[in-house]
Amino acid sequence: MISRTHFGAYPFSFLIGFFAYCFFEIAIRGRTHWTMGILGSGALCMLLCFERHLHHPVRSALLGAIYITAAEFCVGVYVNLYRGWQIWDYTNLTFQLYGQISLLFSCIWFLLCVPGCFLCRIIDRQFIGTTNASSNLHNI
C-alpha cells in the first residue's frame, strides 16, 4: 500500500505555487506583489490536500476556488482596506464584495484549479515515488 503521508510534496508545492502565480500575474497584469505569491503558494498546497483526499479534479477545483476566494477576501481586507496597499481592486466589476472578491475571479480561480489539480497529482506521484524508492532501500 502506498503511504500518502510524505510531506515533501508540500514545500515543493509551496514553491511552485509561489512562482507560478507570480509569473501568471506578471503575464496578465504586468506586475505582482509578494503577498500574491504567498496566496498562490497556499492555494497550491491546499489544492494538493484536496486532491489527495478527494481524488476528483472537479470537486478539488471547486473547493480550491472557494478556498482561494475566501483567502483573497481575508488578505484583501487586511492589505487593501486596512493597510491601504491597493494591490488589487475589483470595485469596477459586477458581483463583487468590497472590491476584494468577485464572481468573475472566483470562476477564474476554478478554471485555474483544474490544471492545478493535475499538477498536484504529478507532484504527489513524484514524491510518493521517491518515498517508495527510499523505503525499498531500507528493506534491502
Side-chain angles (χ1 to χ4, degrees):
M1 181 173 179
I2 296 175
S3 171
R4 312 260 323 146
T5 58
H6 192 277
F7 291 106
Y10 286 104
F12 188 74
S13 295
F14 186 90
L15 290 173
I16 295 294
F18 185 94
F19 290 111
Y21 189 77
C22 286
F23 288 135
F24 172 76
E25 194 168 47
I26 289 170
I28 300 298
R29 290 184 1 159
R31 62 186 169 87
T32 191
H33 191 268
W34 64 268
T35 55
M36 298 298 90
I38 300 294
L39 277 173
S41 59
L44 196 61
C45 286
M46 284 304 296
L47 206 54
L48 176 63
C49 183
F50 295 149
E51 189 56 30
R52 277 182 167 183
H53 294 347
L54 298 176
H55 308 291
H56 192 279
V58 176
R59 289 183 189 143
S60 297
L62 182 59
L63 281 175
I66 292 167
Y67 170 81
I68 293 168
T69 301
E72 186 179 38
F73 182 76
C74 294
V75 171
V77 165
Y78 179 72
V79 301
N80 293 327
L81 301 181
Y82 179 72
R83 301 285 298 199
W85 290 355
Q86 299 175 345
I87 299 169
W88 71 88
D89 184 8
Y90 298 151
T91 54
N92 60 338
L93 300 175
T94 56
F95 303 112
Q96 54 87 17
L97 183 63
Y98 301 118
Q100 303 312 301
I101 57 173
S102 73
L103 181 60
L104 172 66
F105 275 88
S106 293
C107 293
I108 291 170
W109 304 145
F110 172 77
L111 293 175
L112 286 174
C113 283
V114 172
C117 287
F118 292 105
L119 175 63
C120 288
R121 284 184 182 186
I122 292 168
I123 292 169
D124 210 20
R125 285 185 186 136
Q126 291 302 313
F127 279 90
I128 288 172
T130 353
T131 303
N132 287 342
S134 65
S135 67
N136 288 340
L137 289 175
H138 293 293
N139 293 332
I140 297 178

